[in-house]
Amino acid sequence: MRDHQGVSAMEPVNTRDTGTAAEAYLALEWPLALGHRYRPKQGCTCERPDCPIPGAHPVIGAPRLDEASLPCALETSPGAGLIAFTERFDAVLVPRYIGMAAMVSLDRGTPVTCLVLSREVYALLVLPATGRYAAVTSGVEVRTGEEGWIPLPPSRGSRWDTPPWLEGTSTPRTLISGDEVRHVLADCFTVTSAGATA
């Protein structure tokens, strides 16, 4: 079985290589652009000395990528982060300890695409316009629509916990509704809160 790019759907996606990863994200029809670059000893190309996510945030006005523009864009900006805009999914951002607990529970039933954004933050990817249902506390941030974005592997600091492809293949994983993760997140926050006050 092959996808529309002619790549075997039984082959795992290599997200450590920027070009290969970008092609795979484009195959998912995710709106994609190159982000800033991280330079050792020089920091982020945004030039902010206090940049909180060096090499993993958008460049203002950067053009959207497609299969035709990708090779040239990568050649002119080596090491740039990959930025996906939240038009084809909502990103539900939660503290890492909540994300880890939620994934253990969700993996027993319906696994949800999950991205580790940093040592502090997990992002659960759900169907577009449904992330609001998962906003169970003020500790949840929802990124949605064309103004929202997330960095994708191999952007600095990000990696997949549960990738958007079925394990060991390039077959897309079906996104679930934010409503399907609502109760799991609520339970995780409740248990964590109870443990903190015990």
Side-chain angles (χ1 to χ4, degrees):
M1 180 169 58
R2 292 181 176 271
D3 63 22
H4 71 273
Q5 291 185 317
V7 177
S8 171
M10 295 308 295
E11 296 175 3
V13 175
N14 176 13
T15 57
R16 292 184 296 274
D17 177 78
T18 303
T20 302
E23 290 176 357
Y25 300 136
L26 289 174
L28 294 173
E29 300 182 348
W30 288 2
L32 200 66
L34 292 185
H36 280 281
R37 293 180 291 121
Y38 173 75
R39 303 161 299 178
K41 299 183 180 180
Q42 292 181 283
C44 186
T45 52
C46 73
E47 305 298 344
R48 283 182 54 188
D50 61 343
C51 177
I53 44 176
H57 65 99
V59 174
I60 296 175
R64 300 291 178 93
L65 298 174
D66 56 28
E67 292 179 26
S69 64
L70 179 61
C72 181
L74 294 178
E75 183 177 348
T76 55
S77 298
L82 289 176
I83 305 299
F85 297 94
T86 53
E87 298 172 27
R88 305 287 294 188
F89 56 82
D90 279 4
V92 179
L93 277 58
V94 296
R96 181 182 176 115
Y97 62 92
I98 295 294
M100 292 176 67
M103 292 309 296
V104 170
S105 179
L106 289 165
D107 282 347
R108 299 191 191 108
T110 305
V112 60
T113 297
C114 178
L115 180 66
V116 181
L117 292 181
S118 69
R119 288 180 293 181
E120 293 82 27
V121 181
Y122 268 42
L124 311 183
L125 305 190
V126 298
L127 287 169
T130 69
R132 65 185 186 276
Y133 299 122
V136 294
T137 77
S138 59
V140 177
E141 176 188 351
V142 177
R143 297 185 183 178
T144 184
E146 61 183 12
E147 299 300 321
W149 58 272
I150 55 170
L152 299 175
S155 299
R156 186 172 183 264
S158 67
R159 66 174 177 82
W160 290 111
D161 177 288
T162 303
W165 308 280
L166 298 178
E167 185 175 359
T169 77
S170 58
T171 302
R173 185 183 300 277
T174 300
L175 294 177
I176 66 174
S177 169
D179 192 48
E180 295 183 67
V181 304
R182 175 184 177 86
H183 299 298
V184 172
L185 290 179
D187 288 346
C188 292
F189 274 105
T190 298
V191 169
T192 301
S193 176
T197 57

